[in-house]
Amino acid sequence: MKRLLCVAIGLAFASIAIPATAQSSPEQVQARQIFERVISFRTSQGQGQVPAMVSYLEQTLRSAGVPADWITKLPSGETTAMLVRIPGTDSSAKPILFSAHMDVVDARPEDWKRDPYKLIEENGYFYGRGTLDNKAGVVAMMSTILRLQKANFKPRRTLVFAFVGDEETSLDEPDGTTRQVAAHPWVKTAEYAINTDAGGGLLAPDGKPIIYLVQGAEKTYATFELTVTNQGGHSSRPRPDNAIYDLAKAVIRVGEYRFPVMSNALTRAYLGAVGKVTPGPAGEALRKFAADPQDAAAAEAISASPEFVGTTRTTCVATMLNAGHAENALPQKATATVNCRIFPDVSVDDVRKQLISIVANPKIDVKVIGAPVVSPVSELRPDIERVITQSVHRRAPGVPVSPYLESGGTDRLVYRAAGIPTWASSGVFIKPDEMFAHGLDERIPVKSFYDGLEHIHDLAVALGK
Ligand SMILES: [Zn+2]
């Protein structure tokens, strides 16, 4: 998943021009060739193309001289993950993990203007499924490994690069490749992970960078089912109790309820940083809330914006309804699906108890679907922030850098839940209206693709020291 924040409010600030880069170094030519190949693999669920892509990546590494024992594969059903390890000189230092995912959300060629599985460069963009989410990250890691190998770079700390095979589909699968990666002996002692699949910069409409965001936490994704059962009967003889009416009242109550405003150091830093680059009353509310999270008026103003409501509280919303079995029968069963995005450090069970109290009807059964993964906040460590900021400033001097809380759920939470603090940091800068991950005409600005190579290379060199 890729959900670079779409902070599309005004964006009047920022006056830093991105320096132009020449795009013709041998590394860039090689990276572009790899990008072309990886986009051509339809690595969506059911296509079984991930192992073929892994073979290609492996061959590319091997023919560049990467030793066979630096590479291992972790198969899982039709897909597979690949780990590549550059051994460090200090065996007592914990390894550092880099991660990208190779699978994509399927794109149907008949729905696209261009072939989604062919890399097409047009008007300053690379088009194709996975260009943004997350094959640019795959290529940035490949390019970094190849460059380090060519330079005979010996990091002090072991660097492990994880190419995940099913991020889009199997976060709940116990044998999904992300969980296998997190549990692998090369990875499980990692001090932290850098994920290429989120985090990045926002550009103003004129292309100037406004802010760079590092993803340091995710809300817990949990879905609940509200069910009312009733003995039913013939519709010509209505009873006072009715499963649909009971459920409808419960759903209205859920819709009217607002979970309490919450914040932590990470969300305050994030909202404050966005507030500084957001003009007008919206920016003022963000700054006020960051300074004083008890400021109810500021919290209220922020909650009115769909971009930020999720950063200030747990949210739950009804997403599906299912009730009755015949038009002339009283309903025996009515079910509502309620999807919640739970604020960090709040338990799934606490939210379930709150839903039970909100619907206030003992006839309604509230149960959680599946086994949501709860992940802790990865506070942005000052040393990591410094390295990321230095790298970002090489290409966007002076742009503010801030952590952020993601409202969704991605493979980062699997690493965090496994005890590996994780920060998502890609080198991609885009405008909010350039965000087409999972959608039609997915694209990445050509400059962002090449800058992303440098970003991951910079981080690997600096963090590996
Ligand atoms: Zn992704």
Side-chain angles (χ1 to χ4, degrees):
M1 283 172 223
K2 181 128 205 158
R3 302 201 202 98
L4 196 74
L5 281 245
C6 293
V7 191
I9 332 161
L11 309 177
F13 279 61
S15 55
I16 318 133
I18 300 187
T21 51
Q23 284 156 10
S24 54
S25 71
E27 291 80 20
Q28 289 174 327
V29 171
Q30 181 183 43
R32 192 197 153 123
Q33 279 166 0
I34 297 171
F35 203 26
E36 214 166 302
R37 281 298 299 276
V38 299
I39 293 296
S40 73
F41 293 97
R42 186 172 183 169
T43 51
S44 49
Q45 193 178 28
Q47 302 290 332
Q49 284 287 299
V50 176
M53 177 168 149
V54 165
S55 296
Y56 160 71
L57 296 177
E58 187 183 14
Q59 277 164 22
T60 305
L61 294 169
R62 292 285 290 121
S63 57
V66 173
D69 63 355
W70 288 13
I71 302 171
T72 190
K73 289 186 271 189
L74 310 172
S76 170
E78 67 159 48
T79 189
T80 186
M82 177 175 75
L83 293 176
V84 183
R85 176 175 173 272
I86 303 181
T89 54
D90 179 355
S91 57
S92 67
K94 289 180 167 182
I96 296 169
L97 176 68
F98 286 79
S99 185
H101 68 86
M102 301 178 288
D103 59 316
V104 295
V105 170
D106 198 37
R108 300 193 318 166
E110 57 271 33
D111 297 341
W112 279 50
K113 268 184 265 168
R114 306 165 187 83
D115 181 349
Y117 301 105
K118 185 171 190 291
L119 186 73
I120 294 171
E121 184 177 346
E122 214 177 284
N123 307 324
Y125 293 97
F126 285 122
Y127 286 84
R129 170 56 89 229
T131 45
L132 188 60
D133 183 15
N134 172 223
K135 286 177 173 173
V138 167
V139 178
M141 294 198 332
M142 281 291 289
S143 173
T144 297
I145 298 164
L146 292 167
R147 281 169 75 176
L148 298 183
Q149 154 75 17
K150 194 173 167 193
N152 201 21
F153 176 74
K154 301 253 184 283
R156 184 178 70 83
R157 288 158 168 279
T158 296
L159 302 174
V160 182
F161 296 85
F163 298 80
V164 168
D166 50 6
E167 192 269 348
E168 300 287 7
T169 47
S170 70
L171 291 177
D172 292 338
E173 305 290 331
D175 68 338
T177 64
T178 314
R179 289 192 194 197
Q180 284 197 54
V181 167
H184 191 274
W186 289 1
V187 172
K188 67 181 180 193
T189 58
E191 187 171 321
Y192 55 82
I194 300 291
N195 193 298
T196 63
D197 191 27
L202 288 169
L203 299 173
D206 63 358
K208 285 171 186 164
I210 297 165
I211 191 168
Y212 181 88
L213 298 168
V214 181
Q215 194 240 47
E218 289 177 46
K219 294 178 88 180
T220 304
Y221 178 107
T223 302
F224 297 86
E225 210 167 72
L226 278 48
T227 304
V228 193
T229 48
N230 187 288
Q231 65 183 76
H234 199 283
S235 63
S236 64
R237 303 175 63 191
R239 306 154 43 90
D241 56 325
N242 177 301
I244 289 179
Y245 298 158
D246 282 342
L247 185 77
K249 284 175 196 154
V251 169
I252 301 264
R253 289 196 190 107
V254 170
E256 285 169 349
Y257 180 77
R258 296 174 77 200
F259 283 82
V261 172
M262 297 186 79
S263 73
N264 57 33
L266 187 146
T267 63
R268 289 190 294 276
Y270 164 49
L271 295 173
V274 176
K276 275 190 202 149
V277 297
T278 305
E284 195 188 14
L286 290 164
R287 291 192 299 275
K288 278 186 170 167
F289 181 78
D292 175 15
Q294 308 298 326
D295 186 329
E300 196 58 32
I302 295 170
S303 296
S305 137
E307 277 93 354
F308 295 115
V309 62
T311 307
T312 57
R313 64 184 81 221
T314 293
T315 61
C316 290
V317 62
T319 52
M320 294 195 288
L321 285 174
N322 190 8
H325 56 284
E327 67 178 57
N328 56 359
L330 299 174
Q332 290 165 2
K333 192 176 174 187
T335 303
T337 303
V338 173
N339 180 249
C340 299
R341 308 301 175 112
I342 303 173
F343 204 83
D345 298 326
V346 176
S347 78
V348 174
D349 197 52
D350 281 352
V351 173
R352 182 178 159 270
K353 286 182 184 141
Q354 189 59 37
L355 287 172
I356 290 170
S357 125
I358 296 163
V359 301
N361 180 347
K363 282 188 283 182
I364 298 180
D365 177 58
V366 179
K367 72 165 195 237
V368 61
I369 307 293
V373 183
V374 179
S375 71
V377 172
S378 301
E379 293 293 351
L380 189 51
R381 266 172 39 181
D383 56 328
I384 312 290
E385 183 172 9
R386 201 174 315 121
V387 167
I388 291 174
T389 303
Q390 278 168 359
S391 171
V392 168
H393 282 182
R394 236 161 261 159
R395 286 161 288 281
V399 75
V401 173
S402 166
Y404 78 96
L405 165 75
E406 184 129 348
S407 302
T410 70
D411 56 359
R412 271 83 73 194
L413 62 82
V414 176
Y415 295 142
R416 291 191 187 112
I420 305 171
T422 302
W423 298 283
S425 173
S426 80
V428 175
F429 271 81
I430 58 173
K431 296 173 193 170
D433 64 356
E434 292 173 336
M435 176 62 201
F436 289 89
H438 297 195
L440 291 174
D441 300 319
E442 182 178 347
R443 73 197 73 164
I444 185 173
V446 169
K447 181 176 185 327
S448 274
F449 170 74
Y450 290 116
D451 283 354
L453 307 176
E454 299 306 315
H455 183 66
I456 297 303
H457 179 263
D458 285 353
L459 297 189
V461 170
L463 298 173
K465 273 183 188 153

